[in-house]
Structures are given as structure tokens and as C-alpha cells.
Amino acid sequence: MDDRLLYLVRHGRPVIPGGTKIYLGRKDVPLSEEGRNQAAATGRALAGIPFDALVTSGLVRADETGEIIAACRRRSLARRTVPGLQEISLGEWEGRSFGEIQAEAPDEFDRRGRELATHHPPGGESFEDLQRRVAPAIEEAFAVTGATTLCCVTHAGVLRVLFRHLLELPWRQLFAFTFDYGGVTILRPGGSPRILAVNWRPSL
């Protein structure tokens, strides 16, 4: 029996350049003040969970969230970086607004909506590409830490493709679940994964 326990935390709200809806992807931006507060609320709520280790994706917004969560604990927590848990790469679209891309490349913008699984922006990944690296990255996180109970700070895209895979959902339902900033999702991974909690939000 697989007794591992995985706490998946979406990072806190980052600073959004321009303050409008953008393709963020792997653009490296820090947490906003609100995001730091969300991370602290999550850290306090999880302070009593006996994590063996904490991993982050290596992007600044995830690393800062992990540091804040770790700082809420009485004892130090081993921390590692697993780059396979980074957000989807959006290539040349990263940092640009939805409106800008729709105006400059309307056909590509529309294709992304129609061909959700396979479309990738220039120089970027598709959601299928993302899904192929997520499950191995989670196994890597357990392997490099030797953890049984693991906290993993990652991104909304990672969580969405993971749930689509676990529940065998059609790609059109990729956005059926909401994963809020600072939200906590709990799984028992393994051959027959069990979902114990989805998008629990300590900050609320």
C-alpha cells in the first residue's frame, strides 16, 4: 500500500506586470503583498502537518511561497527544487496581455481555445507537453527528498493537467477545477490515487 501523502500548494498571488490579464507562464515575478499574506496564512494553517520535506518549482513566486510556509514552522524543513513542476512555458507570449495577442495574432489566439491540448505558442509548450512532465516530476520530488509526507509549491497549470489526468477528463474540461492562490490540494499518489481535498483556502 502506498502511504505517501502529497500537499499541493498553489503559490500566492504574484505581482502582475501592467495589472492586466497576461500570459504569465514562466515569466519570473515575485509575490505581491497580497500573495505574501496568502502564503503566510497557508503556512500557519499547515504548521502542524508533519512534512518530511518541501519542494518548489524554482520560479520566484513558488520559491517565495515555500520560504514563507517553511518560516511558519518551529523546526527547519528540508527544501528542494524540482524544475519539472514549473508552470507551462508560453514562449513568446509570456508577459504579454491577452488583448495584445488577440489583436496581433487572432488566428493563433483562437486556435489555443479550439486546440487546448495540442496548441503551443511560438517557443512554448502545449498542455499535453505539460502533462507529460508533471507526473514524473512528482515522483522525482518524492525520490530526491525521501519524503512520505511532502509539501509541494507549484502552479495552476500543473494542478489542472494533474487533475485532468487523474480523473480522465476530456481536455475541454481542463478548467473545470479552480485552483486559487494559496489554495491547498491533498492527494494520496500511487497506482490508485485518492483525492482528499481540493483548493482548500486557508487565507479565507
Side-chain angles (χ1 to χ4, degrees):
M1 179 178 175
D2 192 332
D3 61 351
R4 296 179 300 171
L5 195 56
L6 177 62
Y7 284 71
L8 293 157
V9 179
R10 187 185 179 191
H11 60 79
R13 181 181 294 277
V15 173
I16 305 297
T20 188
K21 195 168 185 180
I22 68 168
Y23 291 100
L24 190 58
R26 294 189 190 175
K27 185 175 178 64
D28 230 357
V29 293
L31 292 180
S32 64
E33 182 177 357
E34 180 184 2
R36 290 191 293 273
N37 291 336
Q38 289 164 338
T42 301
R44 290 191 297 269
L46 299 180
I49 305 297
F51 295 130
D52 301 310
L54 182 148
V55 299
T56 66
S57 72
L59 293 178
V60 168
R61 57 193 186 271
D63 288 353
E64 288 185 350
T65 301
E67 289 172 4
I68 293 169
I69 290 173
C72 292
R73 308 179 75 82
R74 291 183 179 180
R75 296 182 179 179
S76 62
L77 190 61
R79 282 182 281 164
R80 298 288 292 268
T81 298
V82 177
L85 295 169
Q86 290 185 3
E87 183 60 285
I88 188 170
S89 170
L90 295 171
E92 295 177 13
W93 289 10
E94 290 192 357
R96 304 183 69 188
S97 73
F98 282 35
E100 184 180 5
I101 297 300
Q102 187 174 24
E104 290 188 9
D107 291 342
E108 285 296 299
F109 182 88
D110 290 342
R111 275 189 64 199
R112 182 168 173 80
R114 293 194 311 270
E115 303 169 14
L116 199 57
T118 58
H119 180 270
H120 55 85
E125 291 178 300
S126 69
F127 280 110
E128 280 189 345
D129 294 331
L130 176 61
Q131 182 173 292
R132 277 191 288 269
R133 66 173 163 86
V134 166
I138 288 173
E139 290 303 316
E140 178 187 350
F142 277 103
V144 298
T145 60
T148 299
T149 302
L150 180 65
C151 181
C152 173
V153 184
T154 186
H155 305 267
V158 170
L159 294 166
R160 289 188 179 112
V161 297
L162 178 60
F163 265 63
R164 195 215 74 85
H165 171 69
L166 291 177
L167 299 176
E168 299 181 347
L169 298 173
W171 280 103
R172 68 177 180 276
Q173 291 186 297
L174 180 64
F175 293 91
F177 288 89
T178 297
F179 297 100
D180 293 302
Y181 293 120
V184 180
T185 294
I186 310 172
L187 304 176
R188 283 202 180 277
S192 299
R194 293 175 58 200
I195 300 169
L196 305 181
V198 180
N199 197 41
W200 175 55
R201 293 171 291 170
S203 60
L204 297 181

